[in-house]
Amino acid sequence: MTMDRRIFLLGSAASAYAFQSEKPVGTGMIGVGNRGSFLLQGVLHQPNAKVIALCDIKPDRLDKAATAAARDNPATTADWRRIIENKDVDAVFIATPPNLHSEMAIAALKAGKNVYCEKPIGITPAQVRALLDAAKGSGKVFVAGQQLRSMKQFGETVAKIHQGAIGEVIMVKAQRHAPADLDHDGTSGDWYFDVTKSGGYLIEQSVHNLDLCNWVIGAHPTRACGFGAIVFYKNDPPGRTIFDCGSITFDYPGGLKMSFTQNVFHPASMPNGGQYVYVYGTKGGVDLTTGTMYPPGRGAQPVVLSAKQQEDQFAHIAMFFDSVTKGTPPPVDVKIGATAALTAILGHQAMVQEKVVTWNDLGVEV
Ligand SMILES: NC(=O)c1ccc[n+]([C@@H]2O[C@H](COP(=O)([O-])OP(=O)(O)OC[C@H]3O[C@@H](n4cnc5c(N)ncnc54)[C@H](O)[C@@H]3O)[C@@H](O)[C@H]2O)c1
């Protein structure tokens, strides 16, 4: 980070805290379902945060969260705007269904709050554009919940690739294959299978993996083509509108290709399932998930670029609070969040339209 940037950050979001060094950051949580409960645990774990208010439209979730946060005796509400209006709330966590993120985050920023917003930050170009506009120049911290970027092993491996460990990066192959669909009777069933609410598997889940690809490549794609379908979970659950598989090719600057596949029916006992990002360079390849480099040539010994290490499950949340209180750079700012969301939207649109879709077609300047 350059000194200029550090000064800029210290002069903006952190300034409010410079005068109140010991004051905990008043925090409001919107959406306390699966992810929101985890985030709440993470907030409670921080030495410099206090849970002021909780919001969810489902009373059972709200009760459970209020019990979990009893230490801080938070207010509860089913109306998210009351969190935004609360003068004691300095930071807002948003973990509602994806179609709601942009509107809620924009309102929070406009009310002068710092925002931790779950991924994807938007599911349409218009939502992403509006949030980008609101965050830029707001003087507030915005962090997207792409927490893989806060994992030490990924960070070290990507840094070594950027330093030239495999020469020039020339191709990437990545996948997100799961052994099962999301639970059809589960808590997220009311939005996840509706493409207008979740955006679909690529936008809602694979956005994490696509972000890793953009990170290691150091750019966003310029265009994409691909196909998606519902082949296994046909009309299951009834009315399903999200694909259960897809294959997309992304074209990056300089002609670099990134091939991405996803499905939710990879038998758990079959090898090569799960998620990986293979990065090919002019001097070898890297399995990003294990931090291992494979030099070219038969019999060449793998080289560990970064060994598996103890990761703090709440590291991303801690970095958000550090950004708010100390002015350190956010681990995933609005630009990274927007770029990841747009990459996923690009791939999704290519699958839906079954034609080449360009980044410029999205009409959003990041
Ligand atoms: N970063 C990660 O690794 C990760 C992991 C899981 C989920 N997520 C993201 O978190 C978000 C939520 O996913 P989830 O699995 O927790 O879903 P969920 O269905 O368990 O939780 C969403 C909650 O939002 C509440 N909600 C819906 N509309 C609301 C409104 N208008 N006002 C207030 N509350 C409202 C629901 O009642 C529910 O409790 C999604 O964007 C998902 O992509 C991120």
Side-chain angles (χ1 to χ4, degrees):
M1 182 174 68
T2 64
M3 192 52 80
D4 282 348
R5 173 130 172 89
R6 188 183 294 272
I7 289 166
F8 168 73
L9 282 162
L10 284 168
S12 56
S15 56
Y17 289 91
F19 306 103
Q20 319 163 13
S21 52
E22 297 308 316
K23 182 179 176 280
V25 179
T27 303
M29 318 282 305
I30 306 178
V32 283
N34 294 328
R35 188 64 182 173
S37 310
F38 172 83
L39 296 177
L40 176 60
Q41 264 185 57
V43 172
L44 288 165
H45 192 72
Q46 303 307 313
N48 52 355
K50 181 175 182 200
V51 183
I52 299 288
L54 302 167
C55 170
D56 203 294
I57 51 171
K58 293 182 179 165
D60 57 326
R61 302 284 176 84
L62 207 46
D63 284 352
K64 217 170 130 200
T67 303
R71 181 198 78 183
D72 291 353
N73 193 24
T76 56
T77 177
D79 178 357
W80 64 272
R81 291 196 180 271
R82 291 188 52 200
I83 301 278
I84 311 273
E85 290 158 9
N86 190 320
K87 296 270 181 292
D88 295 326
V89 169
D90 298 308
V92 175
F93 279 66
I94 299 168
T96 51
N99 61 317
L100 304 176
H101 293 173
S102 177
E103 181 191 2
M104 290 174 169
I106 291 167
L109 287 164
K110 285 193 172 152
K113 315 296 184 191
N114 300 288
V115 174
Y116 183 114
C117 178
E118 263 312 332
K119 39 54 62 172
I121 69 160
I123 64 170
T124 65
Q127 287 178 0
V128 174
R129 187 190 305 112
L131 181 46
L132 262 171
D133 289 348
K136 282 181 192 165
S138 68
K140 294 291 154 189
V141 173
F142 178 91
V143 165
Q146 290 150 222
Q147 75 279 358
L148 298 184
R149 290 233 186 189
S150 295
M151 291 178 72
K152 288 181 279 187
Q153 193 185 16
F154 279 132
E156 285 173 13
T157 309
V158 170
K160 289 196 175 160
I161 293 171
H162 288 170
Q163 286 156 16
I166 53 169
E168 188 191 343
V169 175
I170 49 177
M171 187 180 180
V172 173
K173 167 77 185 87
Q175 73 173 35
R176 188 181 181 109
H177 290 190
D181 211 358
L182 214 69
D183 185 359
H184 289 190
D185 305 320
T187 54
S188 310
D190 50 356
W191 59 266
Y192 176 73
F193 299 101
D194 178 346
V195 74
T196 65
K197 293 184 174 158
S198 69
Y201 190 63
L202 192 77
I203 294 175
E204 200 271 334
Q205 304 234 351
S206 299
V207 65
H208 278 304
N209 312 65
L210 299 174
D211 181 41
L212 286 182
C213 295
N214 285 343
W215 187 19
V216 74
I217 293 167
H220 63 70
T222 54
R223 55 185 182 153
C225 63
F227 298 96
I230 306 173
V231 292
F232 191 88
Y233 290 105
K234 290 182 182 169
N235 200 31
D236 182 10
R240 176 193 192 104
T241 48
I242 66 166
F243 294 148
D244 61 9
C245 69
S247 173
I248 307 126
T249 300
F250 293 90
D251 201 15
Y252 280 75
L256 184 152
K257 307 289 178 264
M258 192 268 276
S259 163
F260 191 85
T261 58
Q262 58 177 20
N263 74 43
V264 287
F265 44 75
H266 187 102
S269 57
M270 197 161 89
N272 299 326
Q275 309 175 39
Y276 66 73
V277 178
Y278 288 165
V279 188
Y280 298 89
T282 47
K283 295 181 187 165
V286 170
D287 177 347
L288 204 62
T289 316
T290 62
T292 309
M293 174 204 172
Y294 298 86
R298 257 179 224 285
Q301 287 302 305
V303 179
V304 175
L305 294 182
S306 177
K308 191 170 172 55
Q309 48 195 298
Q310 188 72 34
E311 302 280 357
D312 171 8
Q313 62 172 334
F314 299 135
H316 207 60
I317 296 168
M319 285 186 209
F320 167 74
F321 282 108
D322 280 351
S323 296
V324 172
T325 58
K326 301 176 191 158
T328 50
V332 172
D333 63 14
V334 71
K335 203 170 158 175
I336 297 173
T339 304
L342 290 170
T343 301
I345 292 167
L346 180 71
H348 178 75
Q349 290 197 358
M351 288 193 291
V352 169
Q353 296 176 31
E354 299 194 342
K355 65 172 196 159
V356 174
V357 180
T358 72
W359 187 268
N360 289 342
D361 291 338
L362 302 179
V364 185
E365 198 159 326
V366 182

